[in-house]
């Protein structure tokens, strides 16, 4: 009996060793495990511009589009599945994006490219076509933070500085942000997603300088005008106290754009906060399922002193913040367009390569109907986005128009990406084939910068004259 027990123990130990050794085997390369289709690390050619919208672009916009596409397909696509799995940001690719001058967008001077809003939108689309996290990071950095400093009627942290900052603040921060030598983030209110926000800045000088905006708070998402983070005037500056959530880039940002309620006027003001300010703490939010490459976090401000020179004089109410949200929603619309285009391009190649029942999946009627539905959505979304840019450039755009575009494009992009995930079957769940990752990423974009319901109500208020954000109080109780 003792001998049998010993033999049984040896067998048990041996099976555990075998199990352990099998678990430690490295995963097969995708090309080996599934040789019938090409993974997204080798990105497919553009096939989604069916109506040749490229003809609507200027020669400068076409050149920019080509440059950004090359960087994203050759530099980012080969590593995006790896960084998605690790939930880490590939900082080493940022200089490449800075080189193609897509950071700082429409801001003129201060080392920024000064391109058209259409050019900025097209660049955003090309980035999102390959990776939504990169586009969100740049959107926040470039469109929420930088614009806050230089007035250009556009969005980004660059823009926050460009839109609301003093001349000294513009000269101090914008050049480095435009080169992605400095990173920024925007700490405002909660109109930014269930897993993210957007920001990431870009580099210009030798030092690394990152920026972010802090707006969203744990208790205030769609109700972004009711911020509880406070700014109290003291001798020589301000004291900030509060908490922000979903702040993009905050774990590595050099500069924080913080929106807080002035305790004297009860109005929202904006402030530039340095990363090493005493009382400031930023931690990463773990376990996201979407925009995993994007670094979102919680930001705590406990007695943070901000000198008067770092207050953004152009932010004195929530209406001022709304100007940034207009551009944010415009650019988020183009993110959704870009994601949809990337998914279609991947599906187009996959369905021609993948065979079942002896023929390519693309040869089946039901497959073709789904592909056409995806393609039709993309053509309509692109045309709406292009028209929105033209309204912006002619200074006719309204917050209602931008909100409608954001609501409608993200809704239709959701359908488009969902069809793409379905068409790829089991491979539609793998980041290696883009679609599953894009499916989760789009959920973030559908939510941030105003949910579908909130943006619909913004447009509804504009066309009817009635605000429906709060429930109507009945004059008397219903008999029911």
């Amino acid at each position: 009996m003792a001998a049998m027990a010993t033999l049984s123990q040896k067998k048990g130990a041996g099976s555990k060793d075998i199990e352990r050794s099998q678990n430690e085997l490295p995963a097969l390369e995708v090309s080996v495990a599934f040789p019938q289709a090409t993974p997204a690390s080798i990105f497919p050619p553009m096939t989604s511009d069916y109506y040749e919208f490229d003809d609507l672009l200027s020669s400068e916009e076409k050149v920019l589009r080509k440059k950004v596409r090359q960087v994203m397909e050759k530099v980012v696509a080969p590593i995006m599945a790896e960084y998605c799995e690790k939930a880490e940001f590939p900082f080493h690719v940022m200089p490449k994006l800075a080189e193609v001058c897509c950071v700082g967008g429409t801001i003129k001077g201060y080392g920024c490219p000064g391109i058209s809003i259409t050019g900025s939108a097209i660049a955003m689309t090309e980035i999102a076509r390959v990776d939504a996290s990169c586009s969100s990071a740049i959107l926040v950095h470039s469109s929420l933070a930088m614009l806050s400093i230089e007035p250009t009627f556009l969005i980004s942290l660059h823009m926050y500085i460009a839109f609301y900052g003093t001349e000294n603040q513009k000269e101090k921060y914008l050049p480095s942000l435009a080169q992605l030598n400095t990173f920024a983030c925007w700490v405002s209110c909660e109109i930014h997603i269930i897993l993210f926000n957007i920001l990431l800045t870009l580099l210009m000088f030798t030092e690394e300088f990152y920026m972010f905006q802090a707006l969203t708070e744990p208790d205030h998402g769609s109700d972004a005008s009711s911020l509880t983070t406070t700014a109290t005037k003291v001798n020589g500056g301000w004291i900030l106290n509060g908490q922000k959530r979903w702040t993009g880039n905050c774990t590595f940002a050099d500069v924080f754009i913080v929106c807080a309620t002035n305790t004297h006027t009860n109005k929202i003001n904006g402030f530039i906060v340095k990363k090493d300010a005493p009382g400031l703490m930023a931690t990463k939010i773990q376990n996201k399922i979407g925009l995993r490459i994007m670094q979102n976090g919680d930001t705590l401000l406990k007695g943070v002193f901000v000198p008067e020179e770092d207050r953004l004089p152009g932010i004195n109410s929530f209406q001022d913040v709304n100007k940034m949200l207009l551009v944010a929603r415009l650019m988020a619309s183009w993110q959704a367009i870009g994601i949809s285009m990337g998914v279609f391009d991947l599906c187009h190649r996959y369905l021609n390569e993948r065979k079942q029942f002896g023929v390519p999946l693309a040869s089946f009627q039901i497959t073709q109907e789904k592909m056409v539905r995806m393609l039709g959505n993309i053509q309509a979304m692109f045309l709406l986005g292009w028209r929105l840019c033209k309204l912006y450039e002619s200074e006719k755009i309204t917050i209602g128009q931008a909100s409608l575009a954001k609501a409608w494009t993200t809704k239709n992009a959701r359908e488009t990406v969902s069809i793409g995930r379905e068409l790829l079957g089991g491979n539609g769940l793998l980041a290696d084939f883009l679609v599953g990752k894009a499916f989760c990423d789009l959920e973030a974009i559908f939510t941030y910068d105003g949910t579908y319901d909130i943006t619909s109500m913004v447009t509804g208020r504009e066309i009817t004259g009635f605000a429906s954000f709060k429930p109507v109080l009945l004059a008397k109780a219903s008999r029911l």
Side-chain angles (χ1 to χ4, degrees), residues 208-210 252-256 273-278 280-281:
E208 290 190 347
F209 183 44
Y210 295 79
F252 57 84
D254 302 282
V255 177
F256 293 58
V273 180
K274 313 290 177 41
K275 66 178 180 181
D276 55 355
L280 175 67
M281 181 175 70

Side-chain angles (χ1 to χ4, degrees), residues 321-337:
V321 177
N322 256 335
K323 296 175 184 177
M324 302 308 302
L325 293 180
L326 184 154
V327 183
R329 288 170 182 167
L330 184 158
M331 299 302 280
S333 300
W334 282 98
Q335 281 185 288
I337 295 168

Side-chain angles (χ1 to χ4, degrees), residues 103-105 107 109-113 138-152 154-165 170 173-180 182 184-186 201-202 204 211 257 324:
V103 180
I107 300 173
Y110 311 101
C112 300
I138 288 177
L139 174 61
V140 174
H141 172 89
S142 183
S143 293
L144 288 176
M146 289 181 73
L147 263 197
S148 302
I149 302 177
E150 163 64 24
T152 325
L154 186 58
I155 133 186
S156 86
L157 287 193
H158 285 68
M159 295 162 102
Y160 245 97
I161 297 173
F163 207 72
Y164 300 119
K170 296 172 191 177
Y173 294 108
L174 292 179
S176 184
L177 289 171
Q179 284 294 311
L180 289 181
T182 300
C185 67
W186 191 57
T201 306
L202 303 52
M204 187 161 198
M211 180 176 202
I257 301 295
M324 302 308 302

Side-chain angles (χ1 to χ4, degrees), residues 22-57:
Q22 289 176 338
N23 289 338
E24 291 174 354
L25 290 175
L28 291 177
E29 290 290 334
V30 178
S31 58
V32 176
F34 193 79
Q36 203 177 67
T38 308
S41 56
I42 303 173
F43 214 78
M46 169 77 76
T47 56
S48 49
D49 187 7
Y50 189 62
Y51 282 175
E52 301 184 9
F53 289 125
D54 206 52
D55 292 345
L56 298 175
L57 306 180

Side-chain angles (χ1 to χ4, degrees), residues 83-383:
Y83 279 85
C84 178
E85 182 70 19
K86 296 189 296 184
E88 295 178 359
F89 196 87
F91 294 101
H92 65 280
V93 307
M94 286 296 98
K96 292 291 184 181
L97 288 174
E99 287 176 8
V100 297
C101 299
C102 64
V103 180
T106 61
I107 300 173
K108 292 180 172 61
Y110 311 101
C112 300
I115 58 181
S116 67
I117 185 70
T118 304
S120 292
I122 290 299
M124 180 64 61
T125 303
E126 289 296 330
I127 297 170
R129 175 174 169 261
V130 174
D131 180 62
S133 285
C134 281
S135 69
S136 285
I138 288 177
L139 174 61
V140 174
H141 172 89
S142 183
S143 293
L144 288 176
M146 289 181 73
L147 263 197
S148 302
I149 302 177
E150 163 64 24
T152 325
F153 204 46
L154 186 58
I155 133 186
S156 86
L157 287 193
H158 285 68
M159 295 162 102
Y160 245 97
I161 297 173
F163 207 72
Y164 300 119
T166 64
E167 189 64 27
N168 287 339
Q169 289 169 340
K170 296 172 191 177
E171 293 177 351
K172 181 177 181 179
Y173 294 108
L174 292 179
S176 184
L177 289 171
Q179 284 294 311
L180 289 181
N181 291 326
T182 300
F183 279 81
C185 67
W186 191 57
V187 195
S188 234
C189 36
E190 170 154 328
I191 19 191
H192 284 315
I193 31 197
I194 232 176
L195 322 162
F196 14 40
N197 226 322
I198 33 189
L199 326 49
L200 204 156
T201 306
L202 303 52
L203 313 118
M204 187 161 198
F205 295 153
T206 54
E207 57 177 341
E208 290 190 347
F209 183 44
Y210 295 79
M211 180 176 202
F212 90 87
Q213 180 212 27
L215 180 62
T216 302
E217 295 181 350
D219 294 334
H220 299 284
S222 296
D223 186 15
S225 62
S226 302
L227 302 185
T228 56
T229 296
T230 60
T232 303
K233 189 72 176 76
V234 295
N235 185 33
W238 301 78
I239 296 294
L240 304 186
N241 286 286
Q243 182 176 349
K244 302 292 185 176
R245 184 144 174 91
W246 295 121
T247 307
N249 303 348
C250 72
T251 57
F252 57 84
D254 302 282
V255 177
F256 293 58
I257 301 295
V258 180
C259 291
T261 300
N262 186 319
T263 56
H264 177 65
T265 65
N266 205 36
K267 299 290 186 180
I268 292 178
N269 290 159
F271 303 88
I272 299 174
V273 180
K274 313 290 177 41
K275 66 178 180 181
D276 55 355
L280 175 67
M281 181 175 70
T283 59
K284 180 181 176 180
I285 295 176
Q286 301 287 351
N287 306 319
K288 293 191 304 176
I289 63 168
L291 294 185
R292 286 177 54 78
I293 297 176
M294 178 74 182
Q295 304 297 295
N296 296 93
D298 292 299
T299 304
L300 300 178
L301 301 110
K302 295 184 177 180
V304 176
F305 176 76
V306 178
E308 180 62 36
E309 65 184 30
D310 285 337
R311 185 178 78 85
L312 291 168
I315 301 181
N316 296 296
S317 69
F318 186 69
Q319 283 64 40
D320 294 323
V321 177
N322 256 335
K323 296 175 184 177
M324 302 308 302
L325 293 180
L326 184 154
V327 183
R329 288 170 182 167
L330 184 158
M331 299 302 280
S333 300
W334 282 98
Q335 281 185 288
I337 295 168
I339 293 171
S340 300
M341 295 177 81
V343 167
F344 180 86
D345 294 340
L346 193 288
C347 287
H348 182 273
R349 181 178 69 185
Y350 181 96
L351 296 170
N352 277 279
E353 293 178 339
R354 171 71 162 155
K355 293 181 179 180
Q356 289 291 279
F357 306 102
V359 295
L361 291 177
S363 65
F364 291 95
Q365 288 181 340
I366 190 65
T367 300
Q368 293 182 10
E369 187 279 332
K370 292 177 180 179
M371 292 178 68
V372 170
R373 205 178 341 151
M374 295 170 68
L375 189 62
N377 282 347
I378 292 169
Q379 308 315 297
M381 288 189 290
F382 194 106
L383 190 57

